[in-house]
Amino acid sequence: MPDPSPAIASFYRLMEQTRPPMRADRSAAGTLPTRAYRYCEAVTAAASYGWWVFPPVGLRFIWDGADIFWTCDGLDDWEPLSPSAQLPGFSDAFDAAAPAILKGCAPPMLTALPEPGTLQIWTGLMVRTAPGWHLLVRAPANLPLTGGIVLYEGIVEADTWFGPLFTNLRFTRTHSPITLRPDYPLLQLQPVLATSYGDDVLDATTLVPGMDGLAEADWRGYHETIVIPNENPDRPFGAYAKEARRRRKKCQATLPAKSSGTSSQASGDSHRPDQLGFRAAGI
């Protein structure tokens, strides 16, 4: 198993306008129902698993069914995307910082893909993971997406592939503006072990085809998990959540302490969920 002591993910911000990544929040930035936040460990664990990544700047799009038009914070007019576009001024900033061999090689912020209504957005970041760790790039868990788009998911081998952290999306409506706010999470990056999605792991399944195949231990597990708690009228709320948190803390206590010199954010910046633009009160 990879050494848990070094930083699992190191982020590199190339666009200074881009909001730094932040640890995903158990309450989905305050948008989860109170009962789910307090008692449903499955929901809160999924919501907090990984890091939120934001759009590089505020972006707006219109897709007319054939062509994509875009604008962003700092621009007054809509522009056709044909086929890519760069944030104004970024190419010069990249060339000023990059070595001579890379001048003129700034990645585009937006690229219209060959498939109708599909778009690639660069987040303004690059990321490198510790050896043996990859990143599942997906929409934020349990946090509503901006309407009018659907994100494609992908697993990036970021321990060996070092390049722009981008996502691909598909528009689901036409002739209507779609806004991506710079303070609203666009992506959730979740660390996965490189060995966890190989064929030897994913093919290692079994099926019990009917109830007559359940063993005594299976029935006992069902009885202890479902029946006994529901027969107790005075059972405490959130018993499973409390037990799951206790197990997780016990597991974490066995891991080596992380060095104080490591950080999951290369920029050193961090944000609390209530510092997002929509605060904890809602979107």
Short mmCIF file of all heavy atoms in Angstrom, two decimals, residues 49-77:
data_model
loop_
_atom_site.label_atom_id
_atom_site.label_comp_id
_atom_site.label_asym_id
_atom_site.label_seq_id
_atom_site.Cartn_x
_atom_site.Cartn_y
_atom_site.Cartn_z
N TYR A 49 -15.58 13.16 0.52
CA TYR A 49 -14.50 12.34 0.01
C TYR A 49 -13.82 13.02 -1.18
O TYR A 49 -14.30 12.95 -2.31
CB TYR A 49 -15.05 10.96 -0.39
CG TYR A 49 -14.02 10.02 -0.99
CD1 TYR A 49 -12.70 10.06 -0.62
CD2 TYR A 49 -14.41 9.08 -1.93
CE1 TYR A 49 -11.77 9.19 -1.17
CE2 TYR A 49 -13.49 8.19 -2.48
CZ TYR A 49 -12.17 8.27 -2.10
OH TYR A 49 -11.25 7.43 -2.65
N GLY A 50 -12.73 13.71 -0.92
CA GLY A 50 -11.98 14.32 -2.00
C GLY A 50 -11.83 15.82 -1.83
O GLY A 50 -11.97 16.37 -0.73
N TRP A 51 -11.56 16.48 -2.94
CA TRP A 51 -11.32 17.92 -2.96
C TRP A 51 -12.19 18.57 -4.03
O TRP A 51 -12.36 18.03 -5.12
CB TRP A 51 -9.84 18.22 -3.28
CG TRP A 51 -8.90 17.52 -2.35
CD1 TRP A 51 -8.52 17.93 -1.10
CD2 TRP A 51 -8.22 16.28 -2.58
NE1 TRP A 51 -7.64 17.02 -0.55
CE2 TRP A 51 -7.44 16.00 -1.43
CE3 TRP A 51 -8.18 15.38 -3.65
CZ2 TRP A 51 -6.64 14.87 -1.32
CZ3 TRP A 51 -7.41 14.24 -3.54
CH2 TRP A 51 -6.64 14.00 -2.39
N TRP A 52 -12.72 19.73 -3.69
CA TRP A 52 -13.47 20.51 -4.67
C TRP A 52 -12.52 21.33 -5.53
O TRP A 52 -11.54 21.91 -5.04
CB TRP A 52 -14.44 21.46 -3.97
CG TRP A 52 -15.67 20.80 -3.44
CD1 TRP A 52 -16.25 19.64 -3.88
CD2 TRP A 52 -16.50 21.28 -2.38
NE1 TRP A 52 -17.38 19.36 -3.16
CE2 TRP A 52 -17.56 20.35 -2.23
CE3 TRP A 52 -16.45 22.38 -1.54
CZ2 TRP A 52 -18.55 20.51 -1.27
CZ3 TRP A 52 -17.44 22.54 -0.59
CH2 TRP A 52 -18.49 21.62 -0.46
N VAL A 53 -12.83 21.40 -6.82
CA VAL A 53 -12.10 22.23 -7.77
C VAL A 53 -13.11 23.14 -8.47
O VAL A 53 -14.22 22.71 -8.79
CB VAL A 53 -11.32 21.36 -8.79
CG1 VAL A 53 -10.73 22.21 -9.90
CG2 VAL A 53 -10.23 20.58 -8.08
N PHE A 54 -12.70 24.37 -8.71
CA PHE A 54 -13.61 25.41 -9.18
C PHE A 54 -13.32 25.79 -10.63
O PHE A 54 -12.22 25.53 -11.13
CB PHE A 54 -13.49 26.64 -8.28
CG PHE A 54 -13.81 26.36 -6.83
CD1 PHE A 54 -12.84 25.82 -5.99
CD2 PHE A 54 -15.06 26.61 -6.32
CE1 PHE A 54 -13.12 25.54 -4.66
CE2 PHE A 54 -15.36 26.34 -4.99
CZ PHE A 54 -14.38 25.80 -4.16
N PRO A 55 -14.26 26.43 -11.31
CA PRO A 55 -13.96 26.97 -12.64
C PRO A 55 -12.81 27.97 -12.56
O PRO A 55 -12.61 28.61 -11.52
CB PRO A 55 -15.27 27.66 -13.05
CG PRO A 55 -16.33 27.00 -12.22
CD PRO A 55 -15.67 26.68 -10.92
N PRO A 56 -12.05 28.13 -13.64
CA PRO A 56 -10.91 29.05 -13.59
C PRO A 56 -11.32 30.49 -13.37
O PRO A 56 -10.63 31.25 -12.69
CB PRO A 56 -10.24 28.85 -14.95
CG PRO A 56 -11.32 28.32 -15.84
CD PRO A 56 -12.18 27.47 -14.96
N VAL A 57 -12.44 30.89 -13.94
CA VAL A 57 -13.04 32.23 -13.77
C VAL A 57 -14.54 32.04 -13.94
O VAL A 57 -15.02 30.96 -14.28
CB VAL A 57 -12.51 33.24 -14.82
CG1 VAL A 57 -11.05 33.56 -14.59
CG2 VAL A 57 -12.74 32.73 -16.24
N GLY A 58 -15.29 33.10 -13.72
CA GLY A 58 -16.70 33.04 -14.03
C GLY A 58 -16.92 32.91 -15.52
O GLY A 58 -16.38 33.71 -16.31
N LEU A 59 -17.70 31.90 -15.93
CA LEU A 59 -17.89 31.60 -17.34
C LEU A 59 -19.38 31.54 -17.67
O LEU A 59 -20.19 31.11 -16.84
CB LEU A 59 -17.24 30.26 -17.70
CG LEU A 59 -15.71 30.21 -17.65
CD1 LEU A 59 -15.23 28.77 -17.63
CD2 LEU A 59 -15.12 30.95 -18.84
N ARG A 60 -19.72 31.93 -18.90
CA ARG A 60 -21.09 31.83 -19.38
C ARG A 60 -21.07 31.29 -20.81
O ARG A 60 -20.20 31.66 -21.61
CB ARG A 60 -21.79 33.19 -19.32
CG ARG A 60 -22.06 33.67 -17.91
CD ARG A 60 -22.54 35.10 -17.84
NE ARG A 60 -21.52 36.05 -18.25
CZ ARG A 60 -20.49 36.41 -17.50
NH1 ARG A 60 -20.32 35.90 -16.30
NH2 ARG A 60 -19.61 37.31 -17.95
N PHE A 61 -22.05 30.42 -21.09
CA PHE A 61 -22.10 29.75 -22.39
C PHE A 61 -23.52 29.79 -22.94
O PHE A 61 -24.51 29.80 -22.18
CB PHE A 61 -21.68 28.29 -22.27
CG PHE A 61 -20.31 28.09 -21.71
CD1 PHE A 61 -20.13 27.79 -20.36
CD2 PHE A 61 -19.18 28.19 -22.50
CE1 PHE A 61 -18.87 27.60 -19.82
CE2 PHE A 61 -17.91 28.00 -21.98
CZ PHE A 61 -17.75 27.71 -20.63
N ILE A 62 -23.59 29.78 -24.25
CA ILE A 62 -24.85 29.51 -24.95
C ILE A 62 -24.54 28.53 -26.07
O ILE A 62 -23.60 28.73 -26.85
CB ILE A 62 -25.47 30.80 -25.54
CG1 ILE A 62 -25.98 31.72 -24.43
CG2 ILE A 62 -26.64 30.44 -26.47
CD1 ILE A 62 -26.59 33.01 -24.94
N TRP A 63 -25.31 27.46 -26.13
CA TRP A 63 -25.19 26.49 -27.22
C TRP A 63 -26.47 26.55 -28.04
O TRP A 63 -27.57 26.40 -27.50
CB TRP A 63 -24.98 25.08 -26.64
CG TRP A 63 -24.92 24.01 -27.68
CD1 TRP A 63 -24.20 23.99 -28.82
CD2 TRP A 63 -25.62 22.76 -27.65
NE1 TRP A 63 -24.39 22.83 -29.52
CE2 TRP A 63 -25.26 22.04 -28.81
CE3 TRP A 63 -26.51 22.16 -26.75
CZ2 TRP A 63 -25.76 20.78 -29.11
CZ3 TRP A 63 -27.00 20.90 -27.03
CH2 TRP A 63 -26.63 20.22 -28.20
N ASP A 64 -26.32 26.80 -29.34
CA ASP A 64 -27.51 26.95 -30.19
C ASP A 64 -27.89 25.66 -30.90
O ASP A 64 -28.74 25.66 -31.80
CB ASP A 64 -27.31 28.07 -31.20
CG ASP A 64 -26.20 27.79 -32.22
OD1 ASP A 64 -25.64 26.67 -32.20
OD2 ASP A 64 -25.90 28.69 -33.03
N GLY A 65 -27.28 24.55 -30.49
CA GLY A 65 -27.52 23.27 -31.13
C GLY A 65 -26.45 22.91 -32.13
O GLY A 65 -26.34 21.75 -32.53
N ALA A 66 -25.66 23.90 -32.51
CA ALA A 66 -24.55 23.66 -33.45
C ALA A 66 -23.26 24.28 -32.95
O ALA A 66 -22.24 23.62 -32.87
CB ALA A 66 -24.91 24.21 -34.83
N ASP A 67 -23.31 25.56 -32.60
CA ASP A 67 -22.12 26.29 -32.18
C ASP A 67 -22.22 26.69 -30.71
O ASP A 67 -23.32 26.88 -30.17
CB ASP A 67 -21.93 27.54 -33.03
CG ASP A 67 -21.71 27.21 -34.50
OD1 ASP A 67 -20.94 26.27 -34.78
OD2 ASP A 67 -22.33 27.87 -35.36
N ILE A 68 -21.05 26.85 -30.07
CA ILE A 68 -20.96 27.28 -28.69
C ILE A 68 -20.45 28.71 -28.66
O ILE A 68 -19.45 29.04 -29.32
CB ILE A 68 -20.01 26.37 -27.88
CG1 ILE A 68 -20.51 24.92 -27.89
CG2 ILE A 68 -19.85 26.87 -26.44
CD1 ILE A 68 -19.52 23.93 -27.30
N PHE A 69 -21.12 29.55 -27.90
CA PHE A 69 -20.68 30.93 -27.69
C PHE A 69 -20.36 31.10 -26.21
O PHE A 69 -21.00 30.49 -25.35
CB PHE A 69 -21.78 31.91 -28.13
CG PHE A 69 -22.12 31.82 -29.58
CD1 PHE A 69 -23.04 30.88 -30.03
CD2 PHE A 69 -21.51 32.65 -30.52
CE1 PHE A 69 -23.36 30.77 -31.38
CE2 PHE A 69 -21.82 32.55 -31.86
CZ PHE A 69 -22.74 31.61 -32.30
N TRP A 70 -19.37 31.93 -25.92
CA TRP A 70 -18.91 32.04 -24.54
C TRP A 70 -18.50 33.46 -24.22
O TRP A 70 -18.22 34.28 -25.10
CB TRP A 70 -17.72 31.11 -24.30
CG TRP A 70 -16.43 31.61 -24.92
CD1 TRP A 70 -16.08 31.57 -26.24
CD2 TRP A 70 -15.36 32.27 -24.23
NE1 TRP A 70 -14.84 32.16 -26.42
CE2 TRP A 70 -14.37 32.59 -25.21
CE3 TRP A 70 -15.12 32.61 -22.90
CZ2 TRP A 70 -13.19 33.23 -24.87
CZ3 TRP A 70 -13.94 33.25 -22.57
CH2 TRP A 70 -12.98 33.55 -23.55
N THR A 71 -18.48 33.76 -22.93
CA THR A 71 -17.90 34.98 -22.41
C THR A 71 -17.46 34.68 -20.99
O THR A 71 -17.77 33.61 -20.44
CB THR A 71 -18.90 36.15 -22.44
OG1 THR A 71 -18.22 37.36 -22.08
CG2 THR A 71 -20.06 35.93 -21.49
N CYS A 72 -16.72 35.58 -20.38
CA CYS A 72 -16.22 35.34 -19.02
C CYS A 72 -16.08 36.66 -18.30
O CYS A 72 -16.22 37.74 -18.90
CB CYS A 72 -14.89 34.59 -19.05
SG CYS A 72 -13.48 35.56 -19.64
N ASP A 73 -15.81 36.58 -17.01
CA ASP A 73 -15.57 37.80 -16.23
C ASP A 73 -14.44 38.59 -16.87
O ASP A 73 -13.37 38.05 -17.18
CB ASP A 73 -15.19 37.42 -14.79
CG ASP A 73 -16.32 36.74 -14.05
OD1 ASP A 73 -17.47 36.81 -14.52
OD2 ASP A 73 -16.04 36.15 -12.98
N GLY A 74 -14.69 39.87 -17.11
CA GLY A 74 -13.69 40.71 -17.74
C GLY A 74 -13.93 40.94 -19.22
O GLY A 74 -13.30 41.83 -19.81
N LEU A 75 -14.82 40.15 -19.83
CA LEU A 75 -15.17 40.35 -21.24
C LEU A 75 -16.57 40.93 -21.34
O LEU A 75 -17.47 40.54 -20.58
CB LEU A 75 -15.10 39.03 -22.01
CG LEU A 75 -13.72 38.40 -22.22
CD1 LEU A 75 -13.84 37.13 -23.06
CD2 LEU A 75 -12.76 39.39 -22.90
N ASP A 76 -16.77 41.80 -22.29
CA ASP A 76 -18.08 42.44 -22.47
C ASP A 76 -18.92 41.76 -23.54
O ASP A 76 -20.14 41.85 -23.52
CB ASP A 76 -17.89 43.92 -22.84
CG ASP A 76 -17.21 44.71 -21.74
OD1 ASP A 76 -17.45 44.40 -20.56
OD2 ASP A 76 -16.43 45.63 -22.06
N ASP A 77 -18.28 41.08 -24.49
CA ASP A 77 -18.99 40.52 -25.63
C ASP A 77 -18.95 39.00 -25.61
O ASP A 77 -18.09 38.38 -24.99
CB ASP A 77 -18.37 41.02 -26.94
CG ASP A 77 -18.47 42.53 -27.09
OD1 ASP A 77 -19.50 43.08 -26.66
OD2 ASP A 77 -17.51 43.13 -27.62
#
